DNA sequence: CTGAAAGCGCTAACAG
DNA sequence: CTGTTAGCGCTTTCAG
């Protein structure tokens, strides 16, 4: 039923070695032989079994992409671009959602390692190094996305979260806001953005909200709860919120509606990611853009280089940009 | 570096056959031997190479999930559930976006076939059977999602699109709307919804918009353009729109804003999918819910059954439900 | 230029 | 109960 290399060899009156050589364009093969073999291959519609060649040390042309949650548009868009780019190299990507659970990441990594994937893109944002070390122990290339790994020699592609947080906050301050709250989650990228936020506040003689993270997850729900929570506990009410992703910003906007606060008249909000949500919500969200396509492109490119033997470790930092829409009010007039 | 079955055998003073048996729980193995081997496995952190066992005819524990566009929230949510469910069977899923291009589907299918995936879930919604036939020729299980394949013996899971279209339209009619337009795309599911729409109209003595599809793609953009287009060309302006997915509905709402039409005061809109967008847009979208989680769950379950030798072909039709929110006005008071 | 043969890591008869 | 052995389908020296 399934035709293999022997069938081709037989039909072409050559040895399997010859067939293998014409398939892989290795060794020297006479023109007539090559043509003959190719004809037979076409005729029998022969497709080499990639598992078998993988067993012989060839690539599996598959990469693992590990992320927290595919339902988060930031990640699904990222995944889309990763997949696109990978496919341009004839690679497939198996996507794994960890659901923010470390054990799942390790489980997926183990499984994919057993399946001999050629490389990993890790966007799960975990603090633990278990998975990374497991992969490195097998000498498999990794690139980390939106995360750092101090003290590790790795490929990284990310934005400068500190800087982005600083600029988002400054943007608000420049527009006259003084009471600025932050909705963040306790993960590395958000902590960096918090640092940027706090420094921007202090630099302008303002006092940052203390290092208290209200959001458990980066969801609409948690953004919704966080804003209400902050409004409730603050003695001096914030006039602006910096939400560390668009989902939470969306939730924050919803919360404002519930509290009968108008955005941006009463409360200004700036988000993060510039995912599709930013254009959908009402009012349209002013937000910090992450160049997802570039992130994905660079990540895959780096991974491919590594897979093809490039042992250098690169860190690529991409630019962010504030996309002005309708959720920030200028208090200075 | 990488430990294999021989290393384990040697360290445990047994043959590789014995190791294989304890791993796979086949044959009879003495308790002490089993323990010994298991200890060594743990100690050496041995993980069987799944490619090798796949070569021997075992499963790869990988399925291919082919969809049009991972950036469409309906599909990313679906993918999320598929992945979740698959992972509960210890399966990985490689996700492929066809971008609505038939050739890409075939290309992906070929590639994954060469990689010996155990099964496919096809949600790409194509009309062509090439890919399906290719897969069937290899005797690999498939389940089709959100699509039909008349005359084919296949596993199917979908909703009743005709019925859903009929009910969505009736919902509008019951609320007094008479000029109802539809925004659809020329794919099977949308045509079915159109049929339902048209029948509901006629049944109530109304005249359906003619079978003219304005949307090239199921995107926000195309929904935006379609509504404007329809408003421009209609002699009697519609009071309600039935958009065949939430993305297009979102675009339609945006278009209304641009045309200075209020939703739902001037124009009512009903969407389809009940993706996350429906809750985000303003006003919140009344829409027909597709039970994505169930679709995914059933699809994976069916596929697993098939992979495990169940040769029956099942068709599962899931229920839809109209989720009432704020975009439909009741004209009858 | 082409083929024979070894072997990748594993499973599955079949002996013992 | 355990080991030997023959492959799965392919790549890759190494002879010829």
């Amino acid at each position: 039923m399934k035709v293999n290399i022997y069938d081709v060899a037989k039909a072409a009156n050559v040895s399997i070695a010859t067939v293998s050589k014409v398939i892989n364009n290795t060794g020297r093969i006479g023109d007539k032989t090559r043509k003959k073999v190719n004809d037979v291959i076409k005729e029998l519609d022969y497709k080499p079994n990639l598992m078998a060649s993988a067993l012989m040390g060839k690539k599996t042309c598959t990469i693992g992409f590990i992320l927290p949650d595919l339902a988060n548009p930031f990640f699904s868009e990222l995944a889309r671009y990763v997949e696109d780019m990978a496919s341009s190299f004839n690679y497939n990507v198996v996507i794994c959602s960890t659901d923010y659970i470390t054990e799942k990441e390790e489980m997926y990594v183990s499984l994919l390692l057993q399946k001999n994937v050629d490389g990993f893109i890790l966007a799960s944002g975990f603090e633990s190094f278990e998975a990374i070390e497991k992969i490195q122990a097998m000498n498999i290339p990794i690139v980390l996305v939106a995360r750092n790994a101090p003290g590790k020699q790795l490929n990284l592609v990310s934005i400068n979260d500190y800087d982005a947080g600083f600029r988002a906050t400054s943007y608000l301050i420049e527009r006259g806001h003084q009471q600025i709250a932050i909705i963040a989650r306790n993960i590395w990228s958000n902590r960096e953005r918090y640092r940027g936020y706090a420094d921007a506040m202090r630099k302008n003689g303002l006092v940052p909200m203390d290092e208290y993270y209200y959001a458990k997850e980066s969801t609409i729900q948690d953004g919704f709860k966080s804003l209400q929570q902050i409004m409730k506990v603050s003695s001096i009410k914030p006039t602006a919120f910096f939400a560390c992703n668009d989902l939470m910003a969306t939730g924050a906007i919803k919360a404002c509606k519930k509290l009968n606060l108008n955005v941006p008249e009463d409360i200004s909000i700036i988000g993060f990611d510039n995912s599709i949500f930013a254009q959908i919500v009402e009012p349209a969200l002013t937000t910090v853009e992450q160049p997802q396509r570039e992130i994905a492109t660079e990540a895959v490119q780096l991974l491919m280089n590594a897979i093809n033997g490039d042992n250098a470790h690169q860190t690529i930092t991409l630019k962010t940009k504030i996309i002005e829409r309708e959720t920030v009010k200028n208090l200075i007039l």
Side-chain angles (χ1 to χ4, degrees), chain A residues 91-103:
Chain A
Y91 263 70
N92 287 123
V93 11
V94 7
I95 295 177
C96 308
S97 300
T98 63
D99 245 330
Y100 300 97
I101 298 168
T102 322
E103 290 71 32

Side-chain angles (χ1 to χ4, degrees), chain A residues 29-319:
Chain A
I29 300 288
D31 276 351
K32 343 128 194 259
T33 315
R34 159 170 291 114
K35 183 175 177 348
K36 175 78 185 152
V37 171
N38 276 324
D39 286 351
V40 172
I41 287 179
K42 212 153 291 167
E43 193 185 318
L44 300 185
D45 192 31
Y46 167 64
K47 296 270 165 42
N49 180 331
L50 295 183
M51 317 235 87
S53 33
L55 235 203
M56 288 301 299
K58 295 230 140 182
K59 317 241 103 53
T60 52
C61 292
T62 303
I63 61 176
F65 183 26
I66 310 222
L67 43 75
D69 181 10
L70 196 50
N72 175 332
F74 175 73
F75 289 107
S76 65
E77 288 167 32
L78 200 59
R80 184 61 170 83
Y81 294 129
V82 164
E83 198 228 306
D84 240 40
M85 183 71 177
S87 132
S88 79
F89 287 95
N90 248 291
Y91 263 70
N92 287 123
V93 11
V94 7
I95 295 177
C96 308
S97 300
T98 63
D99 245 330
Y100 300 97
I101 298 168
T102 322
E103 290 71 32
K104 280 205 185 179
E105 178 174 62
E106 288 174 45
M107 186 270 264
Y108 279 127
V109 163
S110 279
L111 195 51
L112 294 185
L113 244 18
Q114 288 191 61
K115 292 185 180 173
N116 291 17
V117 297
D118 296 335
F120 284 92
I121 296 180
L122 260 40
S124 36
F126 287 127
E127 314 292 323
S128 87
F129 289 154
E130 314 268 325
I132 296 181
E133 276 158 7
K134 228 180 228 172
I135 299 170
Q136 288 191 315
M138 304 290 274
N139 240 305
I140 306 292
I142 321 183
V143 4
L144 251 45
V145 162
R147 187 233 225 247
N148 84 331
K152 293 260 168 203
Q153 281 295 329
L154 287 166
N155 286 304
L156 287 179
V157 12
S158 64
I159 56 166
N160 185 333
D161 286 285
Y162 170 84
D163 176 65
F166 189 93
R167 281 168 42 229
T169 310
S170 302
Y171 178 88
L172 260 13
I173 295 174
E174 285 159 15
R175 278 153 191 77
H177 293 276
Q178 307 223 330
Q179 304 300 324
I180 303 174
I182 182 167
I183 300 179
R185 200 163 71 83
N186 192 4
I187 53 176
W188 180 75
S189 63
N190 283 205
R191 283 198 302 272
E192 283 295 293
R193 291 170 204 170
Y194 174 87
R195 276 210 309 125
Y197 152 81
D199 279 2
M201 291 295 274
R202 291 195 206 97
K203 187 185 154 208
N204 289 277
L206 302 173
V207 15
M209 198 173 104
D210 62 346
E211 202 158 335
Y212 186 95
Y213 298 97
Y214 290 93
K216 287 263 179 312
E217 300 182 0
S218 312
T219 59
I220 296 181
Q221 279 253 316
D222 270 38
F224 184 79
K225 282 191 279 188
S226 297
L227 184 137
Q228 293 187 77
Q229 177 77 6
I230 294 171
M231 288 307 266
K232 200 161 93 186
V233 303
S234 307
S235 42
I236 313 170
K237 304 301 177 201
T239 61
F241 281 79
F242 169 29
C244 283
N245 81 12
D246 288 348
L247 251 39
M248 296 193 289
T250 301
I253 293 176
K254 281 190 178 298
C256 287
K257 280 174 194 153
K258 188 184 167 202
L259 297 177
N260 271 313
L261 262 17
N262 285 321
V263 178
E265 289 72 22
D266 304 321
I267 299 281
S268 290
I269 293 178
I270 187 165
F272 207 104
D273 287 348
N274 193 32
S275 69
I276 182 80
F277 278 28
Q279 303 168 49
I280 304 292
V281 285
E282 181 80 14
L285 186 66
T286 294
T287 191
V288 180
E289 176 191 59
Q290 292 209 56
Q292 295 164 292
R293 166 165 254 137
E294 281 175 63
I295 292 177
T297 308
E298 295 290 354
V300 174
Q301 185 64 64
L302 236 46
L303 192 60
M304 289 302 153
N305 293 347
I307 288 174
N308 294 317
D310 181 351
N311 289 311
H313 293 295
Q314 248 185 295
T315 294
I316 295 182
T317 304
L318 268 6
K319 284 211 171 21

